[in-house]
């Protein structure tokens, strides 16, 4: 059975999904990629936008979510933290 | 004479340099774990950080004590054809004792903290008992120095065992990229330290082995953080 994702795991999955799509993604795609319900996605997005990790932008009449430099830095730090945790077995 | 170990004269500055490297390695790892604690507020990072910082602080006390011990005044006297050496007890004497005991106690508590975090133990009730026993061991090591080294070796051995179990579960290979190698070397160094009664050369060998263990930890750390 898969372990339940923590809040930080979900944030990492969301930001990594945006990064993997070249830094911008449509909200619906993000919902599927990060495996979240609509309500959960909205709640996490509000937090990420409030903390300047992600910003919303209209491109050709479509709403896109763009990862910011701060968001990219967090992804980098979370990857390092995961490696640190795995290496030191904590 | 009260002293940390039997340090050959030519090695007195070198071992201080070795301890300084140990301080830096453990401080950097502790600081990084603290950074992750600030990011996640997960307790395990906090205690992992505290454990490494305690080990770092313990080596600081060792350097401080080395400084006092190495600067102890020794005067040679000749009486009826016999030459003997007198160590003058100065005002720093009690600082030497305090420094040595602080080094040993902080080191043991730091190692116990690492063991506790790595095993993901939830048994908080036994912590006061273990801390008391470590304190008692530290005091006893004032009489029999090897009590400290054997206890440190025991804790390091348990850490290595836990890493071995983790590697087995995750089917990892034992390379230099795994802290099991670094902690195994630190374990061996403590065993060598406990054989100090044989010859002063043992101290030099143990310090070099210990340095190698810390340099491997540094290698692990650099690979993770600066890649």
């Amino acid at each position: 059975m898969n372990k339940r994702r923590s809040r930080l795991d979900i944030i990492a999955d969301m930001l990594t999904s945006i990064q993997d799509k070249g830094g911008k993604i449509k909200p619906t795609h993000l919902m599927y990629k990060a495996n979240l319900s609509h309500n959960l996605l909205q709640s996490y997005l509000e937090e990420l936008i409030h903390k300047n990790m992600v910003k919303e932008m209209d491109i050709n009449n479509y709403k896109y979510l763009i990862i910011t430099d701060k968001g990219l830095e967090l992804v980098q730090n979370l990857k390092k933290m995961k490696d640190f945790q795995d290496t030191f077995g904590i | 004479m009260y002293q940390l170990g039997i340090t050959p004269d030519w090695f007195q500055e070198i071992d201080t340099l070795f301890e300084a490297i140990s301080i830096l390695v453990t401080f950097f790892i502790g600081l990084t774990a603290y950074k992750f604690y600030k990011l996640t507020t997960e307790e395990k990072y906090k205690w992992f950080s505290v454990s490494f910082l305690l080990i770092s602080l313990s080596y600081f006390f060792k350097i401080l004590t080395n400084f006092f011990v190495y600067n102890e005044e020794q005067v040679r006297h000749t009486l009826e054809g016999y030459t003997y050496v007198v160590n003058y007890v100065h005002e720093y004497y009690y600082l030497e004792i305090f420094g040595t005991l602080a080094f040993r106690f902080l080191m043991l508590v730091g190692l116990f903290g690492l063991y506790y975090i790595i095993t993901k133990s939830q048994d908080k009730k036994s912590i006061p008992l273990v801390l008391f026993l470590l304190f008692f061991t530290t005091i006893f090591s004032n009489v029999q120095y090897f009590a400290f080294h054997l206890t440190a070796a025991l804790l390091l051995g348990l850490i290595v065992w836990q890493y071995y179990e983790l590697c087995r579960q995750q089917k990892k290979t034992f390379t230099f990229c795994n802290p099991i190698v670094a902690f195994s070397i630190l374990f061996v160094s403590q065993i060598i330290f406990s054989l100090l009664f044989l010859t002063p050369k043992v101290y030099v060998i143990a310090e070099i082995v210990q340095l190698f263990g810390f340099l491997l930890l540094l290698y692990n750390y650099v690979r993770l953080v600066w890649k």
Side-chain angles (χ1 to χ4, degrees):
Chain A
M1 202 173 110
N2 284 338
K3 220 176 101 182
R4 200 164 162 237
R5 286 186 297 173
S6 69
R7 186 181 145 274
L8 211 66
D9 288 335
I10 294 173
I11 288 173
D13 286 347
M14 287 174 72
L15 292 175
T16 311
S17 301
I18 305 175
Q19 193 189 24
D20 289 348
K21 280 293 232 176
K24 61 174 186 175
I25 196 170
K26 285 179 182 168
T28 339
H29 286 176
L30 180 61
M31 195 169 82
Y32 294 127
K33 280 239 166 208
N35 200 17
L36 290 169
S37 68
H38 182 262
N39 285 346
L40 263 184
L41 178 78
Q42 288 307 317
S43 127
Y44 278 105
L45 264 185
E46 269 176 33
E47 186 184 342
L48 288 176
I49 290 169
H50 178 72
K51 288 182 175 168
N52 286 327
M53 304 279 180
V54 169
K55 60 183 179 185
E56 285 179 312
M57 199 175 269
D58 282 325
I59 302 172
N60 300 331
N61 290 329
Y62 287 105
K63 192 165 102 177
Y64 278 90
L65 298 164
I66 318 263
I67 189 166
T68 63
D69 287 344
K70 204 176 164 189
L72 287 171
E73 195 187 321
L74 181 67
V75 173
Q76 199 65 26
N77 280 332
L78 290 174
K79 275 182 188 159
K80 279 181 188 172
M81 193 183 77
K82 178 85 174 53
D83 289 344
F84 188 88
Q85 182 184 308
D86 290 345
T87 302
F88 286 103
I90 52 176
Chain B
M1 185 185 129
Y2 189 86
Q3 61 182 50
L4 275 174
I6 308 156
T7 318
D9 288 346
W10 62 270
F11 195 64
Q12 287 188 357
E13 304 294 325
I14 302 169
D15 73 338
T16 301
L17 177 73
F18 284 12
E19 318 303 356
I21 293 170
S22 310
I23 287 183
L24 286 178
V25 174
T26 48
F27 181 75
F28 282 138
I29 296 175
L31 203 66
T32 305
Y34 184 72
K35 198 177 109 184
F36 292 144
Y37 166 67
K38 294 295 277 179
L39 192 70
T40 63
T41 67
E42 282 184 48
E43 290 285 300
K44 64 179 180 182
Y45 288 111
K46 182 168 85 179
W47 294 115
F48 192 77
S49 163
V50 168
S51 301
F52 264 104
L53 292 178
L54 282 177
I55 295 173
S56 189
L57 189 64
S58 78
Y59 279 110
F60 171 76
F61 275 108
K62 190 176 178 194
I63 287 183
L64 207 66
T65 313
N66 280 357
F67 177 78
F68 291 130
V69 172
Y70 296 162
N71 289 298
E72 214 161 51
E73 195 183 352
Q74 286 192 339
V75 179
R76 286 178 186 278
H77 290 278
T78 308
L79 184 68
E80 292 177 1
Y82 292 100
T83 302
Y84 55 95
V85 177
V86 174
N87 281 303
Y88 282 92
V89 175
H90 46 65
E91 63 269 33
Y92 302 134
Y93 180 69
Y94 294 104
L95 281 177
E96 285 173 24
I97 297 177
F98 173 77
T100 308
L101 296 182
F103 156 65
R104 290 175 178 171
F105 184 63
L106 292 174
M107 167 71 91
L108 293 179
V109 173
L111 290 176
F112 170 66
L114 286 184
Y115 170 72
Y116 191 84
I117 296 297
I118 292 166
T119 52
K120 298 174 177 66
S121 176
Q122 299 291 323
D123 181 17
K124 289 193 172 129
K125 284 179 191 163
S126 60
I127 294 176
L129 175 69
V130 174
L131 290 181
F132 172 76
L133 290 174
L134 293 181
F135 181 74
F136 190 74
T137 305
T138 305
I139 300 296
F140 181 66
S141 72
N142 205 8
V143 186
Q144 295 292 341
Y145 75 93
F146 60 79
F148 161 70
H149 294 297
L150 289 180
T151 310
L154 174 73
L155 288 166
L156 283 162
L158 289 170
I159 290 170
V160 170
W161 187 6
Q162 182 61 22
Y163 275 132
Y164 171 74
E165 289 295 325
L166 277 173
C167 285
R168 221 163 48 98
Q169 283 165 19
Q170 296 167 1
K171 291 176 183 160
K172 278 186 186 172
T173 47
F174 303 121
T175 63
F176 284 130
C177 310
N178 194 303
I180 191 173
V181 182
F183 280 105
S184 299
I185 292 169
L186 291 175
F187 164 75
V188 171
S189 77
Q190 289 300 326
I191 297 289
I192 301 173
F193 271 124
S194 69
L195 302 172
L196 256 174
F197 62 90
L198 295 175
T199 161
K201 283 176 192 158
V202 164
Y203 180 78
V204 179
I205 297 166
E207 280 281 328
I208 292 169
V209 172
Q210 182 176 253
L211 176 74
F212 189 54
F214 278 114
L215 287 178
L216 262 183
L217 262 187
L218 179 67
Y219 172 70
N220 278 282
Y221 170 78
V222 169
R223 263 189 72 252
L224 284 172
V225 177
W226 287 341
K227 69 178 176 185

